[in-house]
Amino acid sequence: MRAALIAIAAFALAACGEKPQTNRADHDTALYKGTGTPFVAPGWKQGDRNSWEQQLKTRAQMGQNDYVKVN
């Protein structure tokens, strides 16, 4: 009985741990510079800040605005 309680407690405590997230992008670079991969939205040029801002504006108006979708 005691061994079962210890095993349950160990399992419960192991579930509370968080693994480190090491596969993340570098946050020191600006977002508009891109990732260097060819998979980007059409019309956006990596490294071009004006192109990045235009893509965000278009996405906010056309792709994520539910009022535009309904009409």
Side-chain angles (χ1 to χ4, degrees), residues 2-19:
R2 187 179 209 189
L5 288 175
I6 292 172
I8 291 172
F11 181 72
L13 289 175
C16 295
E18 183 177 347
K19 295 179 182 177

Side-chain angles (χ1 to χ4, degrees), residues 35-62:
T35 60
T37 62
F39 306 107
V40 297
W44 175 54
K45 299 171 200 71
Q46 294 188 40
D48 183 12
R49 185 180 184 122
N50 291 330
S51 174
W52 171 262
E53 291 174 355
Q54 186 62 36
Q55 283 291 325
L56 289 179
K57 188 182 295 185
T58 302
R59 184 183 304 171
Q61 287 299 314
M62 301 307 241

Side-chain angles (χ1 to χ4, degrees), residues 1 10 12-13 15 19 22-23 25 29 39 43 47-48 62-63 65-66 71:
M1 179 75 172
L13 289 175
K19 295 179 182 177
T22 57
N23 192 10
T29 59
F39 306 107
D48 183 12
M62 301 307 241
N65 189 346
D66 289 334
N71 293 332

